Every structure is written in structure tokens, then in C-alpha cells.
Amino acid sequence: MIADLHGEGFGPRFTVADKRAYDRVAPVPDDVRREQQRLDAVTDVVLVFPVFWWSLPTMLKGWIDRVFSNGWAFDYVAETGVVRKLSPLRVHLVALAGSDAALYDRHGYEAAIRTQVRHGILEYCGTRDGVTAFVFESEGLEGDQSVMAAVRRVKEAVAAP
């Protein structure tokens, strides 16, 4: 299954309704519930995204902010702390980087993205560690061949025992 958040019209803006759901004083908005149900139905997710200013683009960040919410992705319990709830889910990342690998290495950008996304979001929610693949110099790619090659590498890694 392929999900195109833009094509599906997903709204990435964290609204008052999202905050109320996060605080557990109101139900989760319907569009968020649909995304959570879609993720509940799979064991692996591959997030393909361009790196914008060394981070996630707004659409993906907003999707994560809204969908990976308190009560579904994790529970915060004052007495015991965070309960991670997404252990059945393995998340893979395909990051489209406009620069070359040497620049990412020299400035620590690849490590920063891994730390921000893998540790700061995915591990916090308890997902299983998946494959992370960077497609460097993606600005100059002709067509989607290199992107699809990276997705195939992730697919092969997912299928491997």
C-alpha cells in the first residue's frame, strides 16, 4: 500500500482538536484515527521524504505530530513515565538529500537526522528499528530511479530474515 499524504489531502496542522485529543479530553480527529488504523494494519512502514533544512518536511512532521499521539503511540503516566506502544511497528526511512554524502558526514547531518527521527520520535514511541537509507545528491537525479533503488534496498532488507 502506498500513501500519498499530499494527494489524500492530509492536513498537517496541529489544531486545538489535536491538543484536546492529546490531553485526552476529546476524541481523536477522524483523519488522525484513519491514519492510526492504517498503521495498526501493517508491521512495516517506509517513510520516503526530502530532507528540508536538515529535517523533515512540514507534511511528514505534521503527520507524525498528529498521528503518533498520546494514547496511541505512547502513554504518559505521571507515576511511571512513558509507556511506549508501537512495538509491533517497524519504521524504515528513505531520506532524499540534496547534498552529497561527504557534506552530510562532515557536518554530522546524517547523524543528526538519525538522532532526531530515530531516537527522538520512533524510539520514544517504541517502534522497532528499521532500515535508514539516504539518497544523496537527489536534486540532480533524473526521474525516480535512485529513489526507487533506495526503496528496493529497504524492501530487500525488510524481507531478509
Side-chain angles (χ1 to χ4, degrees):
M1 164 189 354
I2 295 177
D4 175 359
L5 297 176
H6 286 282
E8 295 172 8
F10 183 81
R13 194 169 57 91
F14 195 86
T15 66
V16 171
D18 295 302
K19 174 66 169 122
R20 290 179 50 76
Y22 180 90
D23 291 338
R24 296 178 153 190
V25 296
V28 173
D30 289 343
D31 61 336
V32 171
R33 175 68 60 215
R34 281 190 299 275
E35 294 300 311
Q36 291 171 341
Q37 289 170 341
R38 183 165 26 193
L39 291 172
D40 285 338
V42 300
T43 58
D44 289 86
V45 171
V46 180
L47 302 177
V48 181
F49 61 94
V51 177
F52 283 5
W53 298 111
W54 316 112
S55 189
L56 301 171
T58 301
M59 177 61 81
L60 183 56
K61 180 63 168 76
W63 180 80
I64 290 169
D65 288 345
R66 294 188 68 214
V67 175
F68 285 50
S69 61
N70 186 27
W72 180 77
F74 62 91
D75 278 321
Y76 180 76
V77 180
E79 299 79 33
T80 59
V82 176
V83 177
R84 291 154 176 78
K85 297 179 75 171
L86 294 185
S87 61
L89 190 62
R90 185 167 48 169
V91 181
H92 312 277
L93 307 174
V94 177
L96 311 179
S99 302
D100 61 31
L103 182 112
Y104 267 60
D105 188 50
R106 185 169 58 250
H107 294 291
Y109 296 137
E110 185 174 339
I113 291 171
R114 287 178 189 270
T115 299
Q116 175 191 5
V117 179
R118 280 262 166 243
H119 176 68
I121 299 170
L122 301 174
E123 286 179 21
Y124 186 85
C125 297
T127 67
R128 293 180 293 136
D129 200 17
V131 174
T132 299
F134 282 79
V135 179
F136 294 105
E137 301 184 73
S138 64
E139 296 284 335
L141 296 179
E142 293 296 324
D144 291 335
Q145 289 122 357
S146 292
V147 174
M148 292 313 297
V151 171
R152 276 193 299 279
R153 285 195 307 273
V154 169
K155 183 179 175 184
E156 290 166 5
V158 169

